[in-house]
Amino acid sequence: MRKKRLGRTELQLPIVGIGTAFVGIPTQNQTVSEYEDAPSPIDRELGVETLVAAIDAGCTFFDTAALYGRSLSEAMIGEALRQRPEAKGDIIVSTKAGRSHEGYDFSFDGIVRSVHGSLERLGLDRVDIVYIHDAMGQPMERVLADDGALGALRHLQRQGLFSHIGTASNDPSTNLAYIKTGEFDAAVIADSWSLINRIAEREIFAEAAKHDVGLVAATPLERGLLVTGPRDDTKYLNRVFSQECLDHVRVIQALCADYDLPMLAAALQWSARHSQVASTIPGARVPQEARSSLAAAQLEIPEAFWADLASLVRHFDTAISV
């Protein structure tokens, strides 16, 4: 699979990795409640099977977080790596700290505990990137303080527990504010960049280029809409799509059909075509989703298709989280 450099880092990321926020959840557009007393829909065996399938299909990049699956996502990655030990040295792993199922904690000690807990669950001595996770609404001066989240990550970075520090938020304006500081090597930009969402073009890309911040695009498939096209029987998690948006996706889907291309391949590869975007991380719930995304990343797409697609890439406000 083609690789791209992640901003000012030395990391070469595959243009498509695997996001693990929903791994092991059998039902599409279902998530895990943050509350301990709520039942979890995660099937751990299915989750590990999905991650092993991704490794076997050539995945070399997993993105996770202490929050995901009430930390079970990290544990499932750890188990998958134990089942495929020969792949351990080839896989780039990023995780996130500051938010978990226990709440938000951007204190120095809280971040230290979070990172050590992540490494233990992953079964790793170190990871490649740790992101400050979902700092929206937090006082930035405290998050960036020497005795706050960034200070803790710098401390752990010096100890060799990871190489690079990033920002990751489901809120584009929060990501933008942290990218503007120039303190971060990388950012996971969710709800900001897809065939129907161009928020990142407003300021994120320019600021990332200014500071050479490498970007990883999350939510490239808009909860599955850009895989199957509109379906009457599907309710999309944290999305409200206007009829105009849905009709427009059908036009994109028809163009893909004219070129005998799955829309999945177009959506993923388009996300990583921007010079500042190193990789995109579709979520994989089940083995087939992992295999399909990784195969789609490697399909040859003719330049004529990209030329025809260019006029169809639009922004719809209804495509963002609500």
Side-chain angles (χ1 to χ4, degrees):
M1 188 187 303
R2 186 163 64 90
K3 294 185 177 183
K4 296 177 68 178
R5 182 175 64 87
L6 179 67
R8 64 200 190 203
T9 79
E10 81 292 347
L11 293 175
Q12 294 286 329
L13 296 186
I15 61 168
V16 172
I18 294 294
T20 62
F22 304 102
V23 68
I25 299 178
T27 305
Q28 184 180 358
N29 284 304
Q30 185 175 13
T31 189
V32 180
S33 170
E34 296 177 36
Y35 301 105
E36 291 281 6
D37 56 352
S40 171
I42 290 178
D43 180 330
R44 180 168 181 153
E45 184 176 339
L46 177 65
V48 173
E49 182 185 349
T50 300
L51 297 167
V52 169
I55 294 171
D56 290 347
C59 179
T60 57
F61 176 33
F62 285 133
D63 177 79
T64 186
L67 173 69
Y68 297 164
R70 302 178 194 158
S71 301
L72 192 55
S73 165
E74 293 176 324
M76 289 187 288
I77 291 174
E79 177 57 30
L81 292 175
R82 280 188 287 274
Q83 292 189 20
R84 293 292 186 272
E86 69 283 355
K88 210 172 203 180
D90 298 326
I91 294 179
I92 292 169
V93 177
S94 61
T95 192
K96 308 178 186 75
R99 185 182 180 191
S100 73
H101 60 283
E102 297 176 343
Y104 296 86
D105 188 347
F106 296 95
S107 69
F108 189 101
D109 291 344
I111 294 294
V112 170
R113 285 193 299 271
S114 180
V115 171
H116 281 289
S118 292
L119 292 174
E120 182 177 354
R121 288 185 291 271
L122 288 163
L124 298 172
D125 295 327
R126 65 183 310 280
V127 292
D128 296 280
I129 313 167
V130 176
Y131 297 95
I132 293 177
H133 195 190
D134 281 348
M136 51 271 201
Q138 303 293 322
M140 182 181 282
E141 65 275 11
R142 291 302 312 144
V143 174
L144 298 179
D146 289 343
D147 60 350
L150 183 58
L153 290 182
R154 296 278 185 230
H155 169 72
L156 296 171
Q157 183 184 41
R158 288 191 293 270
Q159 293 182 355
L161 300 189
F162 49 85
S163 300
H164 305 290
I165 298 173
T167 174
S169 174
N170 276 337
D171 175 45
S173 62
T174 298
N175 267 333
L176 175 61
Y178 280 90
I179 289 169
K180 280 183 172 181
T181 68
E183 293 285 351
F184 298 92
D185 302 315
V188 174
I189 54 169
D191 301 341
S192 303
W193 192 236
S194 76
L195 291 174
I196 54 174
N197 185 330
R198 302 183 68 158
I199 285 175
E201 285 183 324
R202 297 174 186 174
E203 291 186 80
I204 287 175
F205 285 151
E207 289 297 325
K210 179 179 178 180
H211 300 289
D212 200 10
V213 177
L215 301 180
V216 175
T219 62
L221 302 178
E222 297 293 351
R223 303 300 192 230
L225 176 64
L226 297 179
V227 179
T228 65
R231 293 176 51 171
D232 293 337
D233 61 347
T234 301
K235 292 184 178 180
Y236 301 98
L237 180 68
N238 296 332
R239 293 291 188 278
V240 175
F241 298 116
S242 68
Q243 190 60 50
E244 180 187 8
C245 177
L246 296 174
D247 290 344
H248 190 75
V249 169
R250 289 189 178 94
V251 175
I252 295 173
Q253 191 173 22
L255 175 66
C256 292
D258 288 344
Y259 279 87
D260 196 24
L261 285 171
M263 188 163 55
L264 169 64
L268 291 179
Q269 293 196 36
W270 181 88
S271 291
R273 279 173 68 83
H274 192 280
S275 60
Q276 208 62 37
V277 178
S279 183
T280 188
I281 45 172
R285 299 177 302 108
V286 296
Q288 185 53 40
E289 288 186 350
R291 296 188 193 103
S292 295
S293 289
L294 294 164
Q298 299 178 74
L299 285 178
E300 290 291 331
I301 297 181
E303 286 300 320
F305 171 79
W306 296 122
D308 288 343
L309 179 67
S311 63
L312 298 180
V313 180
R314 290 178 49 191
H315 177 78
F316 292 87
D317 287 334
T318 49
I320 64 175
S321 294
V322 295

